[in-house]
Amino acid sequence: MELKKVLKNIEYNGNPDERNILNITHDSRKVKQGTLFIAISGEKNDGHDFIFEAIEKGATAVIANGRAPVTDKVPIIQVKNPRKIMSKVAANFFDNPSQGLKIIGITGTNGKTTTTQIIDHILKFNKISSSSLGTLGFNTPSGIISNGFTTPESIDLHQILRTIKDGGINFVPMEISSHAIELNRVDDIDVDIAIYTNIGLDHLDFHKTQENYFKSKLKLFKNLSKNSIAILNSDDDYCSRIIKSINCEYYTYGSASKQSDLHMIHYNAWFDYSEAILQYEGKKYPIQTDLIGKFNLYNLMASILCCLKIGLKFENIIPAIKQIGNINGRLEKYNIPINKNIAIIDYAHSPDAYDNIFKTILELKGNKEIVTVFGCGGNRDTSKRPLMASIAEKYSEYIYITEDNPRYEKNENIFKDIISGFKKNNYKIIKDRKKAIIEALENSSDSIILILGKGAENYQLIKDIKYPHSDIDIIKNYINENKN
């Protein structure tokens, strides 16, 4: 594509010409011959420091913010905000793929991944082409491909959507994180249906305040076109503020108010499945699912309402729900024959998620005790660590504190923040996460071993290196090694 066409509808200073752009990237390591290099500032590095390196590798043009070095080797296009412009450049380069797709964007503190996967499942069950995108990766016919982000950077995102569109897919249920909204990754994505799950305490290391966090989410809904649809959790405190800010049709789900468009009248939950009675347009519908916990029924309601607005009938949705299995790394349950334990792995890493998880387990545990294994991510919001510890202590008989993606922060400092939330001494620190899990399994009997924080992640992030680690594999191997 010609450089001038890549810059269509973008305000800039510079002298672009007709030279052909074969590739676009913001990562100097990915530059090759014919690349348009976009210099953006990241958490650790500034792309402007790598402009000459990019040119030497074959960059044929550069977008910068005024701090670029003077050179006549390639055109330097100056813009106010390269990160924001990057989204429009990506949309131009990949020919606006979201315009030909039905994009379902799911945002909220908790429930994004599960809701995305449920919608994808219901659509596919009903022979509707769909490809999910989110924390678990990019869903392809040959399996899920990891992308490293809840919502990929704008260039990667538009490239993925172009691949999906070219593959003949119609619907894309995708997670949209607050980081992605704030960092302009989804600025040029046409969202047809936006789903709001909830807001809890999280990501304050990035947003600084809860209000800023909410306003990031709100941007998604304020930017919806009048032809879009918003689907909102009416039981969440922020729902009314979203309703006041949008200019499109909206529908609500919940259990507290009978005025919700989709209303949960009653539910029962067990360790193996849940059931509920939902009311929609004056009719009652019983549902059953292998997903457990009231919060998962909220994820189901959001998904059902979305699929109803797509055009499916309740009669088409109910059998699909019955066939939904475990969502990878989300309340994933394993029976441990030795010692009669049950291990549950979940991605929960915020106070709100902890509250949901523990209340669910408390409801289901019977006479079993709860033993919890958890840590907190390094270089992230420190204020939530003692809150998570307090919730864990409230419901747990015993706690193992361990590492969870410490990044560049010392584990000792993370552990100190966690311990500050305890009132009792019913805990032990075991830095090595595998050892902590194994000890929890071996020192417990007829208990629920709740392993929180990493879910389906297959790595431990120390500094900027990902070391192989999987809570799920540890549990599976333990079961295999202890078969009678």
Side-chain angles (χ1 to χ4, degrees), residues 225-334:
S225 74
K226 63 180 181 179
N227 297 320
S228 299
I229 291 174
I231 292 176
L232 311 171
N233 177 0
S234 60
D235 292 347
D236 186 86
D237 292 339
Y238 288 92
C239 179
S240 59
R241 289 183 61 183
I242 297 176
I243 290 172
K244 292 175 183 177
S245 302
I246 54 180
N247 298 306
C248 64
E249 280 187 303
Y250 70 88
Y251 301 90
T252 59
Y253 63 93
S255 64
S257 171
K258 293 182 180 179
Q259 302 305 312
S260 301
D261 293 287
L262 182 62
H263 175 228
M264 183 163 65
I265 299 171
H266 175 75
Y267 82 96
N268 288 313
W270 296 271
F271 256 129
D272 295 322
Y273 68 96
S274 302
E275 59 184 19
I277 298 175
L278 306 181
Q279 183 167 300
Y280 179 70
E281 294 184 343
K283 290 186 66 177
K284 295 178 181 178
Y285 298 90
I287 63 167
Q288 184 176 311
T289 175
D290 287 344
L291 299 175
I292 61 174
K294 188 177 181 181
F295 67 93
N296 265 327
L297 291 172
Y298 274 77
N299 297 331
L300 268 172
M301 282 194 288
S303 305
I304 291 169
L305 192 50
C306 172
C307 291
L308 288 168
K309 294 309 166 185
I310 286 171
L312 288 173
K313 302 295 185 184
F314 232 115
E315 292 75 13
N316 306 123
I317 297 172
I318 290 173
I321 291 170
K322 201 164 185 178
Q323 289 194 15
I324 296 171
N326 279 334
I327 307 298
N328 202 16
R330 267 65 180 176
L331 264 183
E332 195 162 350
K333 181 172 74 76
Y334 294 89

Side-chain angles (χ1 to χ4, degrees), residues 29 39 61 69 103 131 168 170 216 239 271 274 283 295 318-319 358 421 475:
R29 296 168 297 182
I103 304 292
S131 181
N170 294 320
S216 291
C239 179
F271 256 129
S274 302
K283 290 186 66 177
F295 67 93
I318 290 173
F358 280 106
I475 294 298

Side-chain angles (χ1 to χ4, degrees), residues 48 64 89 132 176 186 188 240 244 337 348 358 437 456-457 461 483:
H48 293 81
V89 167
S132 63
I176 299 181
V186 293
D188 296 277
S240 59
K244 292 175 183 177
F358 280 106
I437 293 170
E457 283 183 355
L461 185 59
K483 284 182 178 178

Side-chain angles (χ1 to χ4, degrees), residues 56 281 293 472:
E56 289 174 5
E281 294 184 343
I472 294 172

